[in-house]
Amino acid sequence: MTYERDNIRRMSAYQWGEQPDTDEVLKLNTNENPYPPSPEIGRALTSFNVNALRRYPQPTADRLRQLLAELHELREENIVITNGGDEALRLALTTFVEPGSAFGMAEPSYSLYSVLADIQGATTVALPLGEAWDIPRSFAAQLNEAGANLACIVNPHAPSGTLTDVDTISQLANDFNGVLLVDEAYVDFVDPALRYDLTRLVNAFDNLLILRTFSKGYSLAGLRLGYLLGSPGLINPILNKTRDSYNIDGISQCLGEAAVLDRAYAEDTWHKVRTSRRTLRDQLIEFGFRVAISQSNFLLAEVPLDFVMSAEEIYQTLKQSGILIRFFNNPLMEDKLRITVGTESQNRHLLACLEELLQP
Ligand SMILES: Cc1ncc(COP(=O)(O)O)c(C=O)c1O
C-alpha cells in the first residue's frame, strides 16, 4: 500500500554528495568554498536579537532585496530571495511548468533539475552538450519543438566548469519560446578579466531568470540562501503566489545582509580560489588527467583509458585515505572525477596522495 502520487512512486531520488559530520575528512566533493564566511557573519549572529524570533520574519526579505538591487543595479521587483538555489529551481518548475508538459535541460548538468521535473510531473527533455561541453546550436529549436515552457542551463557549467559567453546566452533567450533559467551558482569564481555579466540582460529579456546562491561564493552553504533575478513578470508570481509566505527566516535575512555588506571579504576568497584552481589544474594535467578550463571552484578530471586506475578506483582509494571527491556512477561521467578546489594546503595534500597512489 502506498499513498504517494504515481509520479513520486516512479521517480528516483536525488543523490546528494556525502556530508560527513567531522572535520577529519578533506571534503572536496560538494563545491563548498574552502574559506570560512566573513567575520561580519559571526558578529551579526552574536548580536542578533533573539526576542525577534517571537515574530514572523519580514515576508519578502525586503532589506536584503534592496541591498541586492543596489549590487546588481536592478530594482527590488527584479528579485526574489529563496531558501537556497535549490528552492529557486523548485519554484521555477512549480510556477512555469504544467504537469505533463516538457521541461528542458542540457545533459550532463545539475542532476537535481530532472528530479524536480519528476516531482512536478513534467517530462524532462535532456539535450546532449557538444564535445567541449558547449550548448548545441539547435538547443532552443529542439526545446521549442518539444513545447518546453522552462529550460535550465548552468553557467559556468557543472560538472565541467566551462563558461558560455553572454552573446550565446542572449541568442538562446531570444530564440527560446519559454523561460530560460541560467543557473549561476558558481558565477562568483569567474575570472573578472572575462567581463562576464548576465545581469545586464535582465531588462532586455522578459523570459530570462538568473539563479544566484550564497552557498558557494559567500561560504554559506549551511544557511540556505539564494535568489532569482528576472523581469517583474517572472518574479511577481513567485514572490506573491508560489513561494511560502515566510520562506526566509529572520536569522538568514540578517546574515545574508551582513554577507552582502562585506562582499569585499568574499571577493578575496574568490581570488584565492581562482589562483589555486590554476595550480591544481596544471598539476592534475601533469599526472595525466585531461582537465577542462574551469571558471568555477571545481575541476573535472577525465581519466584516460590507459591509466593505472579507473576513476572509481581513484575515488574509492582517496576516500579510504580521508579525501572525498565526487564520482558520478553514470555512463556519461564514469571516467571522470569532479574535484572542488580547496585551500593551497588542502590541494597540496590531495596532490601528494594522488601522486603516491598513481605511481606505477
Ligand atoms: C549547479 C548548481 N545549482 C544550484 C545549486 C544549489 O545550491 P544551493 O541550494 O546550496 O544554493 C547547486 C549546489 O550544489 C549547484 O551545483
Side-chain angles (χ1 to χ4, degrees):
M1 178 66 178
T2 173
Y3 295 98
E4 294 168 68
R5 286 161 55 206
D6 264 2
N7 58 316
I8 305 296
R9 188 170 39 76
R10 277 188 271 109
M11 67 176 278
S12 305
Y14 173 68
Q15 295 294 314
W16 54 77
E18 292 148 282
Q19 306 292 354
D21 197 13
T22 163
D23 283 340
E24 305 283 288
V25 173
L26 173 49
K27 212 176 156 298
L28 302 175
N29 66 332
T30 49
N31 302 337
E32 287 123 340
N33 192 320
Y35 298 100
S38 153
E40 292 300 325
I41 303 291
R43 278 192 270 279
L45 194 56
T46 44
S47 60
F48 185 83
N49 174 14
V50 173
N51 284 341
L53 293 177
R54 187 177 59 78
R55 292 188 175 183
Y56 287 99
Q58 206 284 321
T60 44
D62 283 348
R63 170 90 180 115
L64 184 52
R65 286 167 70 223
Q66 260 165 26
L67 289 172
L68 290 168
E70 275 166 40
L71 174 68
H72 295 299
E73 297 178 16
L74 291 165
R75 288 166 299 141
E76 277 167 62
E77 56 260 45
N78 295 119
I79 305 173
V80 57
I81 315 286
T82 58
N83 191 250
D86 286 349
E87 192 199 23
L89 293 167
R90 182 189 286 267
L91 286 168
L93 262 296
T94 309
T95 311
F96 302 112
V97 181
E98 291 284 358
S101 74
F103 159 75
M105 62 180 274
E107 185 89 306
S109 59
Y110 187 28
S111 48
L112 183 69
Y113 300 156
S114 57
V115 173
L116 294 174
D118 286 347
I119 295 171
Q120 182 68 2
T123 308
T124 299
V125 180
L127 302 176
L129 291 170
E131 274 285 291
W133 310 103
D134 47 312
I135 296 168
R137 275 181 191 283
S138 59
F139 194 76
Q142 289 190 68
L143 294 180
N144 289 340
E145 174 91 357
N149 199 42
L150 173 74
C152 287
I153 57 167
V154 50
N155 201 38
H157 177 243
S160 72
T162 53
L163 187 75
T164 300
D165 61 57
V166 174
D167 288 349
T168 305
I169 291 178
S170 173
Q171 191 62 51
L172 207 58
N174 190 61
D175 296 346
F176 181 43
N177 296 337
V179 176
L180 179 68
L181 186 152
V182 184
D183 178 345
E184 291 193 336
Y186 299 100
V187 75
D188 298 322
F189 303 101
V190 173
D191 184 348
L194 296 176
R195 301 196 168 281
Y196 171 87
D197 178 11
L198 215 59
T199 59
R200 57 195 152 96
L201 299 188
V202 165
N203 287 321
F205 290 99
D206 65 1
N207 66 334
L208 178 69
L209 279 176
I210 300 174
L211 179 152
R212 296 289 185 100
T213 178
F214 285 74
S215 294
K216 320 288 180 176
Y218 292 92
S219 312
L220 289 172
L223 196 64
R224 313 308 301 132
L225 204 56
Y227 58 100
L228 286 169
L229 302 171
S231 63
L234 298 182
I235 296 296
N236 197 21
I238 299 177
L239 188 66
N240 296 313
K241 293 180 188 165
T242 52
R243 185 184 61 90
D244 286 348
S245 324
Y246 306 108
N247 64 332
I248 310 298
D249 64 78
I251 296 175
S252 296
Q253 292 188 31
C254 168
L255 302 194
E257 290 161 21
V260 178
L261 289 171
D262 194 18
R263 186 178 156 90
Y265 170 93
E267 282 173 353
D268 189 49
T269 70
W270 309 341
H271 175 72
K272 287 196 266 200
V273 166
R274 279 194 287 271
T275 309
S276 310
R277 174 174 76 198
R278 220 171 299 134
T279 325
L280 183 61
R281 177 168 180 264
D282 289 348
Q283 294 286 326
L284 290 170
I285 290 173
E286 224 166 85
F287 286 163
F289 295 100
R290 275 193 286 270
V291 190
I293 293 179
S294 170
Q295 289 298 330
S296 190
N297 68 336
F298 54 82
L299 293 164
L300 190 66
E302 186 180 329
V303 180
L305 271 179
D306 55 354
F307 220 52
V308 283
M309 283 176 133
S310 70
E312 186 168 14
E313 284 164 346
I314 296 171
Y315 157 75
Q316 290 293 359
T317 317
L318 285 176
K319 187 172 168 177
Q320 279 154 22
S321 319
I323 302 178
L324 279 180
I325 58 173
R326 194 80 190 256
F327 170 71
F328 300 93
N329 197 1
N330 68 56
L332 264 182
M333 300 297 295
E334 65 196 0
D335 59 344
K336 299 177 184 65
L337 296 163
R338 197 194 63 194
I339 304 170
T340 306
V341 178
T343 61
E344 284 290 295
S345 74
Q346 290 173 338
N347 297 340
R348 273 198 301 276
H349 179 54
L350 166 76
L351 289 166
C353 286
L354 269 177
E355 186 166 26
E356 203 177 301
L357 78 98
L358 295 178
Q359 260 160 16

